[in-house]
Amino acid sequence: MPSGTPAFRPARLYARSRVLPATLAVLVGTALAAGWAAYWLQAQPRFDHTARIPVVVLAPLITAGAIGTGLYTYGDELDRTAVRPWWPRRLAHLGLLTVLAALLLALAVPGRPDEFGAPAMVRNLLGATGVTAAAAALLGARLSWLPTTVYLSGVYLAAPGTPGGIASVWAWAMQPGPQGAAWVVAALAYGGGAALYAWRGARAEGR
């Protein structure tokens, strides 16, 4: 066995306990599928920028669900009794996955940055991940995807066809990229969810 192997053992154990390999696979797979869907929609003869709305809503939803499920911990009692505080590690874990997912999904929808392109995709990822992280702290990681799915599904069905106005607040996921109010709501959702998760961690669940 190589002499340097034991030094990487804690990192490997952490990655396996947080199912990081599976989470990364879902992130890459979702980005590839989103890129294919966006390209296919753009190739249609009656393509309109609003046709990519399902892509910029569904891809962040799936990605946030994968990130949230990976926040599950098998030893929450070890987290509570650790000598060093766990909140910086939780925040770094969530932040790094969010940055990676944002880069992958932004590359999946090039063009039309003023409408339903990369800015809308990144904004929706931030908002969805924030809601999912808060749900992990309150409900547990295994069910963290549920509130985000219910909310975004309802917004997708109920949002008005015309962007702007009060819909920018409650239907932020259905707004074009430049909508400032939608960005504020999504950023607040991410900041609040990340802070809650970093402080409390994922809620303990049955084995």
Side-chain angles (χ1 to χ4, degrees), residues 116-132:
F116 291 98
M121 183 75 91
V122 173
R123 180 203 62 213
N124 288 354
L125 172 70
L126 290 177
T129 304
V131 175
T132 303

Side-chain angles (χ1 to χ4, degrees), residues 5-6 8-17:
T5 300
F8 296 98
R9 189 171 300 163
R12 290 202 306 269
L13 291 175
Y14 179 87
R16 291 179 60 186
S17 67

Side-chain angles (χ1 to χ4, degrees), residues 23-34 100 104:
T23 302
L24 294 176
V26 173
L27 298 188
V28 174
T30 303
L32 291 175
L100 175 60
L104 291 174

Side-chain angles (χ1 to χ4, degrees), residues 51-194:
R52 292 201 295 191
I53 291 179
V55 177
V56 300
V57 173
L58 185 59
L61 174 62
I62 296 174
T63 302
I67 293 175
T69 304
L71 300 181
Y72 176 78
T73 175
Y74 291 90
D76 51 279
E77 66 280 354
L78 297 178
D79 291 5
R80 294 193 300 268
T81 59
V83 176
R84 296 180 179 178
W86 268 86
W87 72 263
R89 303 180 193 183
R90 296 189 189 114
L91 198 59
H93 176 102
L94 181 63
L96 289 174
L97 285 179
T98 303
V99 170
L100 175 60
L103 290 174
L104 291 174
L105 292 183
L107 293 174
V109 285
R112 306 204 71 94
D114 57 325
E115 293 172 339
F116 291 98
M121 183 75 91
V122 173
R123 180 203 62 213
N124 288 354
L125 172 70
L126 290 177
T129 304
V131 175
T132 303
L138 298 176
L139 302 177
R142 289 172 175 170
L143 291 177
S144 61
W145 56 271
L146 185 56
T148 314
T149 301
V150 172
Y151 175 74
L152 290 184
S153 299
V155 165
Y156 183 82
L157 295 174
T162 303
I166 193 64
S168 297
V169 176
W170 67 268
W172 46 268
M174 299 292 293
Q175 303 299 307
Q179 288 289 341
W183 271 97
V184 170
V185 175
L188 289 176
Y190 183 78

